[in-house]
Amino acid sequence: MTPPAASAAPLRADCVGDSAGGLTFEVAAHGDARAALVLRRVGAADEEVGLPLAPAAEGRLRAALPSSVSLPEGRWDAYARVSDDEPRRLVPGVTDLRPLADRAPSGLLGHVAVRIPYADRQGNLTVRSWLRAPHAETGELSLAEDGLTVRGRVYGTQFAAGAHAELRSRPGGGAGDVRRLDVAADRADFGLTVPYVALAPGEWDLWLRPAGGSGPVVRLARLLDDVADKHPVLTYPRTRLETPHGPVAAGPYYTRDNDLSVSVAAVEP
């Protein structure tokens, strides 16, 4: 008996990124005019985006996801529908994301769109999408014994009088403690320093307020490269110091969403 299409072997897809932030997929399959690449949002199976799959070469179908096509922020599982059958799960083939590294968007659209394909824990193809409006991209992190210096650049907004940054302890939504930080701004570039001594043990998230208290609140993140999950890749040492809360070990890290945070943990004297 022929197994149903949903349980058929997954199809392989090559992925190529471009400097504008778009992606091109090539699927090793034959199809017809109804063929489509389907992206389904993880956690919202009824939300999907379909992209036409057109013949590219013998036994190859191609679909484009240009940066101009909106893809809400989240994780999107990739499938291919090559006929009237149910879409089949895709697995990554050859992936070339070099043009995504060190992107420098103009910010003229008021937002930054980032899409990075990767293999999930089951080895299937998934696309991580970010859509930030505006966006604060972190660059160099300088670690010292008593704190952290962050340099970065904003997109989709401008600095104004009263610009500052905030450290917010979790849980968010204003329920936790907030520490205000000074920001040095030069056009779209900025720098700030996080003094560890003022922080109680816990997790602290970094936010930028480029226009002061009445303007947008922008999460600091590192998105403009080809690394979908920086948490296990970019690791930083922690420094031990004495604080009014006792001895702690403190240091920066990137979350699974590539947002920048600071961890402060109590340690034995």
Side-chain angles (χ1 to χ4, degrees), residues 31-38 51-55 61 80-85:
D32 54 29
R34 297 162 296 183
L37 186 139
V38 179
L51 305 170
L53 274 170
L61 300 172
R81 181 189 292 116
V82 295
S83 64
D84 285 335
D85 296 331

Side-chain angles (χ1 to χ4, degrees), residues 196-199 242-247:
Y196 295 148
V197 68
L199 304 181
E242 291 289 336
T243 75
H245 304 281

Side-chain angles (χ1 to χ4, degrees), residues 145-221:
E145 293 184 356
D146 58 352
L148 165 73
T149 298
V150 181
R151 302 190 185 281
R153 186 176 182 86
V154 295
Y155 297 89
T157 190
Q158 296 180 338
F159 286 102
H164 63 276
E166 291 178 347
L167 275 168
R168 298 182 178 183
S169 65
R170 296 180 197 159
D177 197 4
V178 177
R179 293 284 187 271
R180 177 169 171 156
L181 304 174
D182 292 333
V183 169
D186 181 11
R187 296 186 179 182
D189 297 322
F190 68 88
L192 59 91
T193 298
V194 178
Y196 295 148
V197 68
L199 304 181
E203 306 302 313
W204 295 80
D205 297 330
L206 270 161
W207 298 79
L208 189 66
R209 306 206 69 157
S214 61
V217 183
V218 188
R219 188 72 165 93
L220 269 70

